[in-house]
Amino acid sequence: MRGDLARLRLVTLTGPGGSGKTRLAEHAAAADPEPGWLVELARLDNPAAVPGAVLSALGLRESTLVAREKAPADDPAAQLVEHCANRRLLLVLDNCEHVIDAAAQLAEELLAHCPGVRILATSREPLGIPGETVRPLGPLPPDPAHRLFADRATAVRPGFAPADDPAAVAEICARLDGLPLAIELAAARLNLLTPRQIADRLDDRFRLLTGGARTVLPRQQTLRAVVDWSWDLLDEKERTVLRRLSVFAGGCDLPAAEAVCADPGTPGTPAAPGTPATPAAPDVLDVLGSLVDKSLVVAAPGPDADTGMRYHLLETIHEYAAERAAAHPADRAAAAHRHAAHFLALAEEAEPLLRGAGQLPWIRRVETELDNLRAALLHTTRTASVETGQRLALALGWFWWLRNYRSEGAEWTARIWETHPVEPPEGTPEYWRSMSLRMLHVFLVADGNAPGSLRTPENIAVGERIRRVFRSGGPESSRFPGILWPMTSLLTGNALDSRDFRDGLDESVENCRRHGRDWELGVTLMLRTHIGIDTTGGLSSVDADLAELHEIADRVGDRWTRSQVASAAGEVALSRGRYEWARSEYEECLRLAREVGAHMETPFVIARIAEAAFCSGDFAGAEQLLTEAAREADRHGGTPEISAYGGMLTALLALVRGDLARARAEWELARAAAANMSGPPQLAAGLGNIDAVLTAREQGPRAGLAKLAPALATAVAAHCAERVLASLADNAAALLAAAGRPAEAVRVLAAATAWRAGHPRSVAEQAAVGGLPDETRAVLGADRYAAEAAAGAELSPPEVAALVTEATRTAPVTGS
């Protein structure tokens, strides 16, 4: 500021009421080497009195000037020009907004004829004359705002310490937009309330903040008076636009402002919900610019270079404008209707683009407008605008899932359904919207819920209804979210690994081939691939689907699809013992997931990389990656999935290192997390496997077998992949051998080896059973060993599960 005054002839400080312009101007003038004169214009009610006010501030009496300068006595502006023509001085014209034209005219005349005069003006808006340099004063940053509150607070309550409740002080300063006068008025309330009580009452800030000093102008004694002063200076068009801007939440861009703030019936007003706006009436842009100039609307660049400027109201101005809008209910309702229509059109335009190569700017755009989209959804529920609400929710469904707004999306879909629970006639567009909304709700609530928690009688009936409707096929079943109808197994009680679920996926894939697009076909193929990898006998069938998925991902360009294809490829590699390849695929998955902002998936992918490192014998790397996965999960709110899966791997790592106490503690945490989610059966199998080995270490092999036998039987019944079953069987073989049952141990180990189909064991698995062949051969002899191994290689998973169960409960077991 000091540099500006030294080299510029006219500087105008602009900002909203209570922004501290006067205080800053006085400080700057006091530091200036030239003589400074403060001209207070706030009390003037006649613009013609501006030159006279400057004369009075300079201490000049009109009669003296007339006698000395021979200027006409009835022209104070001319007298000022003559007086200042050969002098060097600084004039501070304070609070020009209500006499802006007169102040601008006088300033221009003085600057034109008095080369030694410099002017520092304060105003809600610029003077608008040549040579003016505008310095907008935004809200105080947090630290200065906190210091101002503390300074004013100690004057009201001696001994006040902001450190006693820093959160409340920070909330007060933030919600009052860093406006100095508002902060001072809030601090004055400490004679009656605590900081927390003040913060909690800021929703009624205009009634709360009324304690200004009696010596200041009346318009500065209450917060309402400050804003009233600005409102009274607006013309009717400006007031109308400002009222209508209050329907926005989180600001808006120019097209949105034009669509919502234009007069009904003028260009820029949609005719019906979802109808894109035509070019707006030009005066909306002009009025918006005027409100920006008057510091009632804040303009700032949007998040992307190509999105243009964004406009928002400070919270105090927003609340005031909303109050004024409430006094015009019909106009406010019409503005809210246009607001919902505009953001419905935006959401429906964005919906397919969120899943393509150009998705990143669209994801950012929807994220930027999220508060407005929420406001539009709220409007539809309050006004029972069923079609608009359904369309808006369906357009946002994938965004909610991808960006982890799943719980919020589930709440919105439920609220929208509740506004119109009656099912429309079959086959109508309303019917398909209604059923798609139900399917979307199931998809969103399925994530992170405990097993069985969704299986209420009502939900089971809903799931069966959705399943019947979408299983019939056709175009509606080939679109998101209809493509996900096989997931209703979560509601009906059929496990996701069941034959019915897998048949449903096959049907959904074929329907998408007939009626769908690449992205939808990719999703159904991806679900089928993941199920195949995790299912007994499925690994050999996934290569064709995976090859097609690579082609689809390249065509679509969607980073989420590409990340999921890399994840599936990583799972295949892990299942086949190709651990470095698996790690490379998972790292590509992680890169793409981060790029698209799928934050809830990234910790799980990091844990999969840790699993690949663990399997290859890189235990130190696995530990570092698991720590990173936990940090990543905490950063984004945590999930039961990563707690369960990451905890299982951490327990396994501790077990391999011989740290039984930590292994048991991590296992307990993982088990508790798994109880709060609908986890896959391989997770339960992994936890059961660790529990059995730990129990054997703690209590002996018989106790371990008692845990392992049911875990194996459950995994077999759930059709877990051979890799999972083989790991359980490996440990069963080791425990059988330790329990003095070498023949059964050889058979079970041979069966596990056969199920692996030539794929190698992990480093830890090999270490667990590596000595078993020699030990059992020494006990049984070479011929008996060979016979048992040959017999075991022919055993199926159910037969091995039965063998282990029978060995556990029959003949005496030694070593326990």
Side-chain angles (χ1 to χ4, degrees):
M1 177 59 66
R2 185 177 300 177
D4 285 346
L5 288 178
R7 59 187 174 81
L8 301 173
R9 297 199 60 206
L10 172 60
V11 176
T12 302
L13 306 181
T14 62
S19 64
K21 299 184 297 292
T22 298
R23 192 177 297 113
L24 182 57
E26 290 174 344
H27 178 75
D32 193 77
E34 303 290 346
W37 306 88
L38 175 65
V39 184
E40 295 181 345
L41 303 179
R43 298 182 184 277
L44 298 185
D45 56 9
N46 181 4
V50 170
V54 179
L55 281 175
S56 297
L58 290 173
L60 302 172
R61 300 205 175 271
E62 195 171 299
S63 58
T64 304
L65 274 174
V66 171
R68 192 174 64 211
E69 308 286 358
K70 300 180 181 179
D74 58 352
D75 188 357
Q79 296 170 21
L80 281 171
V81 168
E82 286 202 45
H83 176 76
C84 298
N86 298 310
R87 289 179 169 85
R88 300 185 64 83
L89 54 88
L90 172 68
L91 286 178
V92 179
L93 304 181
D94 191 32
N95 291 298
C96 298
E97 54 270 2
H98 61 305
V99 289
I100 191 76
D101 292 334
Q105 182 178 349
L106 178 63
E108 185 172 25
E109 190 169 351
L110 288 172
L111 294 175
H113 297 96
C114 307
V117 170
R118 288 173 297 123
I119 297 174
L120 175 60
T122 74
S123 177
R124 305 286 172 88
E125 59 183 309
L127 299 185
I129 62 176
E132 180 182 27
T133 298
V134 179
R135 290 289 180 264
L137 299 183
L140 287 176
D143 287 346
H146 298 175
R147 288 196 297 270
L148 176 62
F149 184 88
D151 179 64
R152 298 301 184 266
T154 53
V156 176
R157 186 193 294 176
F160 170 78
D164 292 343
D165 196 347
V169 173
E171 182 179 342
I172 291 167
C173 294
R175 293 196 59 197
L176 292 177
D177 310 304
L179 297 176
L181 179 59
I183 292 171
E184 291 181 11
L185 291 170
R189 276 301 189 186
L190 286 172
N191 65 344
L192 181 65
L193 303 171
T194 67
R196 173 45 54 196
Q197 288 176 310
I198 294 172
D200 291 343
R201 285 162 173 76
L202 285 180
D203 285 340
D204 195 10
R205 66 189 64 196
F206 293 114
R207 200 169 88 182
L208 176 69
L209 304 182
T210 59
R214 292 188 179 91
T215 55
V216 300
L217 293 170
R219 66 180 179 84
Q220 294 179 345
Q221 291 180 3
T222 71
L223 186 61
R224 181 176 297 281
V226 171
V227 188
D228 280 341
W229 168 260
S230 294
W231 179 266
D232 291 342
L233 296 175
L234 302 179
D235 62 29
E236 192 52 41
K237 283 187 175 181
E238 291 169 330
R239 293 176 183 176
T240 299
V241 170
L242 191 59
R243 288 197 310 266
R244 293 173 181 172
L245 285 172
S246 69
V247 304
F248 289 99
C252 62
D253 57 16
L254 183 57
E258 290 175 329
V260 172
C261 296
D263 285 327
T266 65
T269 305
T275 305
T278 55
D283 66 333
V284 173
L285 176 59
D286 294 339
V287 173
L288 186 64
S290 177
L291 292 170
V292 171
D293 285 343
K294 290 176 169 63
S295 305
L296 291 170
V297 174
V298 178
D304 294 312
D306 58 348
T307 57
M309 300 290 283
R310 285 190 67 79
Y311 309 92
H312 74 273
L313 306 180
L314 297 179
E315 186 175 342
T316 297
I317 304 301
H318 187 280
E319 184 176 329
Y320 184 90
E323 278 190 13
R324 291 287 186 170
H328 299 76
D331 186 72
R332 191 189 190 287
H337 172 79
R338 295 193 297 273
H339 176 274
H342 177 82
F343 285 101
L344 171 61
L346 172 65
E348 291 187 330
E349 180 184 6
E351 195 269 341
L353 301 174
L354 296 174
R355 301 191 295 264
Q359 65 196 158
L360 296 185
W362 282 98
I363 290 173
R364 288 193 294 271
R365 187 170 180 186
V366 175
E367 195 86 49
T368 298
E369 300 294 2
L370 198 52
D371 285 337
N372 279 311
L373 291 162
R374 288 166 175 149
L377 284 164
L378 183 61
H379 173 73
T380 67
T381 58
R382 285 176 172 172
T383 59
S385 303
V386 178
E387 178 183 345
T388 300
Q390 290 176 339
R391 288 169 58 190
L392 191 50
L394 291 171
L396 290 173
W398 178 246
F399 173 85
W400 281 332
W401 194 89
L402 177 68
R403 300 288 284 185
N404 193 38
Y405 295 100
R406 299 168 195 179
S407 296
E408 179 183 347
E411 291 175 7
W412 282 119
T413 54
R415 290 178 68 176
I416 292 166
W417 173 260
E418 289 165 2
T419 63
H420 189 71
V422 179
E423 189 173 293
E426 284 194 27
T428 62
E430 295 80 8
Y431 170 79
W432 284 111
R433 280 198 306 270
S434 175
M435 296 308 301
S436 295
L437 190 71
R438 280 299 185 96
M439 182 65 248
L440 177 60
H441 182 73
V442 171
F443 178 54
L444 293 170
V445 300
D447 183 64
N449 278 281
S453 65
L454 300 177
R455 293 177 196 142
T456 65
E458 180 184 2
N459 281 346
I460 290 173
V462 168
E464 290 173 346
R465 175 68 174 144
I466 293 172
R467 196 173 185 82
R468 286 196 303 272
V469 168
F470 286 103
R471 194 164 201 167
S472 61
E476 294 294 340
S477 300
S478 69
R479 300 170 188 161
F480 177 83
I483 55 174
L484 301 172
W485 65 262
M487 291 187 65
T488 53
S489 296
L490 288 167
L491 297 184
T492 58
N494 297 319
L496 292 183
D497 63 311
S498 68
R499 183 72 260 172
D500 186 57
F501 176 65
R502 284 174 281 165
D503 289 345
L505 282 179
D506 290 341
E507 294 171 32
S508 188
V509 167
E510 293 310 310
N511 187 64
C512 282
R513 291 195 190 282
R514 290 192 297 271
H515 301 289
R517 295 166 295 188
D518 276 341
W519 187 87
E520 287 80 3
L521 175 59
V523 170
T524 55
L525 282 171
M526 205 173 310
L527 285 171
R528 189 166 75 177
T529 299
H530 282 294
I531 293 300
I533 295 168
D534 292 335
T535 304
T536 306
L539 186 61
S540 60
S541 69
V542 302
D543 291 330
D545 281 355
L546 193 57
E548 185 175 3
L549 277 170
H550 278 292
E551 295 174 0
I552 289 174
D554 289 341
R555 288 198 300 270
V556 172
D558 170 30
R559 291 160 181 82
W560 180 83
T561 299
R562 289 162 55 199
S563 75
Q564 293 303 300
V565 173
S567 174
E571 284 192 66
V572 170
L574 201 64
S575 298
R576 291 172 174 165
R578 301 179 65 178
Y579 303 124
E580 290 306 317
W581 176 30
R583 183 165 183 164
S584 175
E585 292 286 358
Y586 284 133
E587 286 172 347
E588 174 67 0
C589 172
L590 178 63
R591 182 186 70 80
L592 291 165
R594 281 177 167 161
E595 194 172 328
V596 80
H599 300 304
M600 294 310 296
E601 296 187 36
T602 55
F604 192 81
V605 179
I606 296 170
R608 295 311 299 259
I609 300 172
E611 183 179 6
F614 175 84
C615 289
S616 67
D618 180 11
F619 298 150
E623 184 173 35
Q624 291 177 352
L625 286 161
L626 288 171
T627 301
E628 181 184 346
R631 281 199 304 264
E632 187 87 0
D634 289 342
R635 189 177 303 126
H636 300 293
T639 62
E641 289 88 344
I642 188 58
S643 298
Y645 176 59
M648 181 185 73
L649 291 176
T650 303
L652 189 58
L653 184 61
L655 180 60
V656 168
R657 288 173 164 172
D659 188 348
L660 302 186
R662 185 181 180 196
R664 178 59 77 183
E666 294 290 349
W667 178 86
E668 291 284 1
L669 292 173
R671 184 187 62 167
N676 292 317
M677 56 177 278
S678 298
Q682 57 267 29
L683 175 63
L687 289 170
N689 205 0
I690 294 171
D691 185 28
V693 175
L694 273 173
T695 300
R697 300 275 183 90
E698 295 161 347
Q699 304 174 34
R702 181 169 185 166
L705 281 168
K707 292 286 186 72
L708 200 145
L712 177 58
T714 301
V716 169
H719 307 288
C720 284
E722 286 85 351
R723 171 174 174 255
V724 175
L725 300 178
S727 182
L728 284 160
D730 279 349
N731 285 326
L735 293 179
L736 285 166
R741 304 189 72 109
E744 290 96 329
V746 172
R747 271 181 276 158
V748 171
L749 183 64
T753 303
W755 300 341
R756 293 181 187 276
H759 304 313
R761 290 175 168 85
S762 71
V763 170
E765 288 169 334
Q766 183 58 38
V769 299
L772 199 56
D774 291 340
E775 294 169 9
T776 51
R777 188 182 290 108
V779 174
L780 298 173
D783 293 343
R784 174 82 184 277
Y785 176 88
E788 297 289 355
E794 300 298 323
L795 294 177
S796 67
E799 290 171 329
V800 170
L803 183 157
V804 174
T805 299
E806 183 66 20
T808 301
R809 65 169 181 248
T810 59
V813 180
T814 61
S816 60

